Amino acid sequence: VPTDVQEIIDNSCYGCHSTDSKSTKGKMKLNFDKLSDLKQGKLVSKLNRIYNAVNDGDMPLKKFIEKYPDKKLSDSQTESLKSWANDLIDKNGGL
């Protein structure tokens, strides 16, 4: 993961989507700590979900942003995450 994308993930995603998260639902849906362990098909599926959730403005969750406004993604951060996910999808054969 490029440094700039990792910083975005650390700031706006990792709190709910990591092994140490208190959000069971969040880490079950996506756990960034285990992303590299996924087989190609599952990885592409997760990356597509990341792309779509960020693109549609569904992530980070609105109620999370209300509580932590500093976690909201800027337009450039959204584009960086989408580009990263899309590049990995392409490198892994797409869907």
Side-chain angles (χ1 to χ4, degrees), residues 30-85:
L30 172 65
N31 186 338
F32 280 100
D33 294 329
K34 297 185 179 199
L35 204 59
S36 63
D37 297 337
L38 297 176
K39 293 187 180 191
Q40 188 175 11
K42 278 232 184 232
L43 175 62
V44 168
S45 176
K46 292 287 185 185
L47 291 165
N48 269 310
R49 287 182 178 177
I50 292 169
Y51 181 95
N52 290 329
V54 171
N55 187 55
D56 295 345
D58 295 336
M59 285 289 149
L61 294 172
K62 289 178 184 17
K63 65 181 180 178
F64 179 74
I65 296 301
E66 288 172 6
K67 191 171 182 178
Y68 305 102
D70 61 314
K71 306 294 185 185
K72 183 176 182 181
L73 297 175
S74 68
D75 290 344
S76 64
Q77 289 172 322
T78 298
E79 290 306 313
S80 291
L81 276 174
K82 288 170 36 181
S83 178
W84 166 75

Side-chain angles (χ1 to χ4, degrees), residues 16 21-29:
C16 297
S21 173
K22 293 178 183 175
S23 171
T24 304
K25 186 176 180 182
K27 68 181 163 186
M28 284 181 62
K29 286 189 173 205

Side-chain angles (χ1 to χ4, degrees), residues 79-93:
E79 290 306 313
S80 291
L81 276 174
K82 288 170 36 181
S83 178
W84 166 75
N86 207 32
D87 287 348
L88 278 179
I89 290 167
D90 287 346
K91 287 178 185 174
N92 284 281

